[in-house]
């Protein structure tokens, strides 16, 4: 799905900028966010992803850097003409009425992200996420940005009039898969060197 790919690309470009906050990396991040939004309106949350990442990671020094300030300008230059051109079609094809914003609706979207996976892989992803939650030290910049991507995508869908369907949740599912791999990596790192391969073989055999 192109929107999923471009949303993940926006997150990757943001991570590149956070690691090396120079002007060109900021421009690339803005272009990636703009492309994601142009591919589908549901990626509009990527416009605020850099600001949320900077605030959550306490990288406040970046707020004054040209590489950060140029990002909303790039996004606006890319998206504004398209938004003005199709403003009359903003809600074309969407349900006329939106479901009530309830815990049940939010939960249905969150669970649907897991249902994208086959049952066996779903269990592996769930166990990896549990392991990750038990290792707070593993939450580095990359996982923080991906978590923001997942949360932003889910929040946008919950607020929109669409119903929970797997095709809308590929980006959160991809984030869950990557995060679970990080959890498994952390868990395997706790095992003695000789026991790691045995655990992997046992899981494969199961």
């Amino acid at each position: 799905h192109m929107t999923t790919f471009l949303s993940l690309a926006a997150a990757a470009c943001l991570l590149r900028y956070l690691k090396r906050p120079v002007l060109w990396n900021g421009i690339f991040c803005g272009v990636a966010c703009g492309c994601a939004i142009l591919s589908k309106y549901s990626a509009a949350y990527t416009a605020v992803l850099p600001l949320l990442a900077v605030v959550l990671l306490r990288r406040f020094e970046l707020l004054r850097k040209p590489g950060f300030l140029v990002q909303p300008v790039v996004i606006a230059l890319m998206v504004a003409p398209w938004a003005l051109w199709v403003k009359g079609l903003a809600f074309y094809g969407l349900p006329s009425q939106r479901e009530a914003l309830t815990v049940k609706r939010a939960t249905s979207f969150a669970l649907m992200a897991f249902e994208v996976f086959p049952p066996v892989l779903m269990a592996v992803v769930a166990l990896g996420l549990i392991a990750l939650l038990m290792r707070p030290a593993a939450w580095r910049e990359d996982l923080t940005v991906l978590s923001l991507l997942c949360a932003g995508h889910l929040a946008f869908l919950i607020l929109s009039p669409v119903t929970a369907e797997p095709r809308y949740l590929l980006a959160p599912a991809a984030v869950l898969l990557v995060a679970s791999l990080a959890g498994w990596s952390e868990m395997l790192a706790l095992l003695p060197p000789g026991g790691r391969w045995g655990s992997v073989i046992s899981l494969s055999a199961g």
Side-chain angles (χ1 to χ4, degrees):
H1 197 287
M2 183 57 68
T3 304
T4 299
F5 170 76
L6 291 173
S7 298
L8 293 173
C13 289
L14 175 56
L15 283 170
R16 179 184 175 91
Y17 171 73
L18 291 172
K19 294 181 185 302
R20 192 163 178 263
V22 297
L23 180 60
W24 280 110
N25 284 343
I27 293 174
F28 288 146
C29 180
V31 169
C33 292
C35 289
I37 297 170
L38 289 174
S39 70
K40 199 170 184 182
Y41 72 94
S42 59
Y45 64 90
T46 58
V48 297
L49 200 61
L51 177 60
L52 294 176
V54 166
V55 172
L56 190 60
L57 294 169
R58 299 179 180 275
R59 300 283 301 276
F60 300 114
E61 74 280 0
L62 298 179
L63 295 174
R64 297 187 297 271
K65 288 186 175 293
F68 178 82
L69 297 175
V70 76
Q71 293 175 36
V73 176
V74 172
I75 295 172
L77 289 175
M78 292 179 65
V79 176
W82 170 80
L84 292 173
W85 181 262
V86 300
K87 63 179 181 179
L89 302 173
F91 297 98
Y92 180 78
L94 295 176
S96 57
Q97 292 185 343
R98 183 181 60 189
E99 296 181 19
L101 296 177
T102 61
V103 174
K104 181 180 178 181
R105 176 173 169 79
T107 303
S108 67
F109 277 97
L111 293 178
M112 187 62 69
F114 284 94
E115 292 178 13
V116 171
F117 304 107
V120 175
L121 184 54
M122 186 193 304
V124 172
V125 169
L127 289 174
L129 293 175
I130 292 171
L132 187 61
L133 291 174
M134 296 173 63
R135 295 281 293 172
W139 286 83
R140 294 174 287 272
E141 285 187 347
D142 50 357
L143 288 177
T144 301
V145 169
L146 287 175
S147 297
L148 285 173
L149 177 72
C150 183
H153 193 101
L154 287 173
F156 191 93
L157 289 176
I158 292 168
L159 294 172
S160 72
V162 301
T163 56
E165 297 180 29
R167 62 193 177 104
Y168 295 136
L169 292 149
L170 295 179
V175 171
L176 292 176
L177 179 60
V178 173
S180 71
L181 292 176
W184 279 106
S185 176
E186 288 292 322
M187 187 164 59
L188 292 175
L190 297 176
L191 298 176
R196 295 177 189 174
W197 286 110
S199 299
V200 172
I201 293 172
S202 298
L203 285 171
S204 301

